[in-house]
Amino acid sequence: MSRVRIVGGQWRSRLLEVAAVPGLRPTPDRVRETLFNWLGQDLDGQHCLDLFAGTGILGFEAASRGTATVVLIEHDPRALAALHKAAQALHASQVEIVRGDAVRFVRTTPRTFDGVFLDPPYRQGWLERVAPWLDRVVRPGGWLYVEAEAAVEHLGDWHTVKRGRAGQVHFHLMRRSQA
């Protein structure tokens, strides 16, 4: 089993186990460092959603940096077991782990979030499937972080304000377009 390292915050340098799930690809350290530089290192009081949690590294990284809550959505049982193990090891009481379908969650949850991490499996159309529901779960002034196999200019009413690329990973910080 491989591991991924938290790069900042109260759990800096802690290692989390990565479940052996086909297609699971943790966001690289360098990309996470860039993302949290974009967002600001301190996420105190924010409420975040990691819609395709996988390893959970984006959500745990946010929790390490002071979020009030982080909800991790994952459907694979092996990945879920690793997420629960990590949350327990870190005593991460602000992390909520939900077994479920990402589209169903964004369509039905009454909750809203300051930021949403979107790092779905590649080449399966997940971004397009969740896009119609993002406005209902992200608070005004909120942000999206999107990882994809290709550059993303727009996602529904969201547009890219910052972007980067690491190998074959395209990553984006998006904000809602103003009317």
Side-chain angles (χ1 to χ4, degrees), residues 17-85:
E17 290 184 3
V18 175
V21 176
L24 198 61
R25 39 179 182 69
T27 300
D29 290 7
R30 183 170 60 104
V31 172
R32 282 183 278 122
E33 287 172 1
T34 300
L35 165 62
F36 289 98
N37 284 335
W38 289 346
L39 294 175
Q41 296 296 321
D42 181 1
L43 300 179
D44 277 353
Q46 289 195 26
H47 300 273
C48 296
L49 171 64
D50 189 348
L51 198 51
F52 299 90
T55 65
I57 192 59
L58 291 171
F60 285 115
E61 193 79 56
S64 181
R65 296 164 189 264
T67 59
T69 61
V70 178
V71 178
L72 307 177
I73 308 299
E74 180 55 51
H75 73 282
D76 185 278
R78 294 164 294 182
L80 276 165
L83 293 173
H84 283 289
K85 184 175 180 180

Side-chain angles (χ1 to χ4, degrees), residues 95-160:
V95 174
E96 177 185 347
I97 301 166
V98 176
R99 181 178 187 174
D101 174 83
V103 176
R104 181 175 293 132
F105 185 86
V106 295
R107 229 182 42 220
T108 62
T109 187
R111 298 168 75 174
T112 59
F113 302 90
D114 298 297
V116 176
F117 299 104
L118 296 171
D119 182 11
Y122 289 172
R123 291 178 270 293
Q124 295 181 23
W126 285 107
L127 291 176
E128 294 77 14
R129 285 187 258 172
V130 299
W133 310 103
L134 294 172
D135 288 347
R136 71 178 299 280
V137 297
V138 183
R139 295 177 179 152
W143 50 266
L144 296 178
Y145 168 75
V146 178
E147 275 187 39
E149 66 274 15
V152 177
E153 292 300 320
H154 297 279
L155 190 58
D157 290 335
W158 297 82
H159 67 278
T160 298

